[in-house]
Amino acid sequence: MDVIEAINSRKSVRAFKPDPVPKEVLRAILEAALRAPSWDNTQPWEFAVLGGEVMDKVRAAIMEKVGSGEKTNPDLPWPKLTGAYLERGKRNGRRLFQELGIAKEDRQARTNWWLSMPQFFHAPNGIIVYMDASLGEWSLVDVGLALGNLMLAAWHYGVGTCALAAAVWYPDVLRSLLNIPQSKRIIVGLAVGYPDFSSPAAKFHSDREPLETLVTWHGFD
């Protein structure tokens, strides 16, 4: 797949087939992720790749915390959004629910949808991304660059992904099950699997702001 085609066609996938992604495909995807640039070639990213029984255990442990009502405590604080940044998310959320056929007044359907997030949207595989806690904000930029590579490489192989804050709501659960040291900062989780395009949750494509909104030109006629 051409890189521009991959960039323009990639989407966050929220419905997956049960078939696990073969380890050799996951290796190829992660090798591409590791080619990302980073500050002074520090390569701060680390990945825990989940499958099989471990994937089931992680999912179950997170849902046990959710079911108990325990307050979330992610290592990376949620952003506090206002103005246009908040509205962009709400606008696409409304579009997604419309395509899923979830009415505004259907609270149970909305709750079920939100509860599918910490379950990695029932994907057969997952990835937990973390970095050393001694590193600062520039390393977060680097991790983001690696994630971009990973998602595009996955799409090249026909594999869908969705970045999930809900997957890392309870970092101590992940540290315990995946042997991630306390010295590491858990950043984000990814749902990984082959898209189930029979579901609108896999076909949904969020919109983007027009170029004119976000780009200024300097020194051009």
Side-chain angles (χ1 to χ4, degrees):
M1 182 183 292
D2 175 83
V3 64
I4 299 299
E5 179 187 356
I7 290 170
N8 288 328
S9 63
R10 188 213 61 83
K11 65 191 75 175
S12 292
V13 173
R14 301 174 178 87
F16 298 90
K17 296 178 180 178
D19 318 65
V21 180
K23 187 175 180 179
E24 58 269 24
V25 176
L26 291 170
R27 282 189 64 91
I29 290 167
L30 286 158
E31 290 282 2
L34 300 183
R35 293 303 308 168
S38 61
W39 181 288
D40 203 26
N41 198 33
T42 46
Q43 305 175 56
W45 41 73
E46 298 182 57
F47 305 94
V49 187
L50 315 181
E53 290 184 3
V54 174
M55 185 73 196
D56 294 337
K57 287 179 180 178
V58 167
R59 217 188 317 259
I62 294 173
M63 290 308 296
E64 183 178 348
K65 294 284 189 181
V66 172
S68 71
E70 183 171 330
K71 186 177 180 181
T72 61
N73 62 331
D75 287 350
L76 193 66
W78 286 10
K80 296 179 181 179
L81 303 177
T82 59
Y85 310 105
L86 180 62
E87 177 52 35
R88 288 168 191 163
K90 286 186 173 182
R91 181 177 68 238
N92 277 284
R94 290 191 293 267
R95 284 187 53 232
L96 174 60
F97 278 178
Q98 184 176 15
E99 293 196 21
L100 292 173
I102 298 176
K104 186 176 182 179
E105 62 275 10
D106 192 342
R107 292 186 178 181
Q108 187 59 55
R110 287 174 175 252
T111 297
N112 291 342
W113 175 254
W114 293 118
L115 288 176
S116 68
M117 293 181 185
Q119 299 179 77
F120 294 76
F121 290 119
H122 308 286
N125 296 102
I127 297 176
I128 302 299
V129 186
Y130 56 100
M131 70 181 200
D132 199 88
S134 68
L135 299 169
E137 291 179 346
W138 276 107
S139 293
L140 283 173
V141 173
D142 299 338
V143 169
L145 293 170
L147 282 173
N149 272 18
L150 191 160
M151 292 175 174
L152 291 173
W155 199 240
H156 167 81
Y157 287 101
V159 175
T161 59
C162 187
L164 291 166
V168 296
W169 276 348
Y170 304 99
D172 288 344
V173 166
L174 301 173
R175 290 190 176 95
S176 175
L177 290 174
L178 307 176
N179 297 315
I180 298 174
Q182 288 287 340
S183 60
K184 303 298 180 180
R185 188 181 187 189
I186 297 176
I187 307 302
V188 72
L190 292 175
V192 181
Y194 293 107
D196 178 5
F197 288 119
S198 68
S199 169
K203 294 185 284 190
F204 178 77
H205 211 148
S206 60
D207 64 24
R208 292 295 184 269
E209 295 295 309
L211 193 73
E212 293 74 19
T213 303
L214 302 173
V215 177
T216 59
W217 301 86
H218 307 271
F220 293 85
D221 294 333

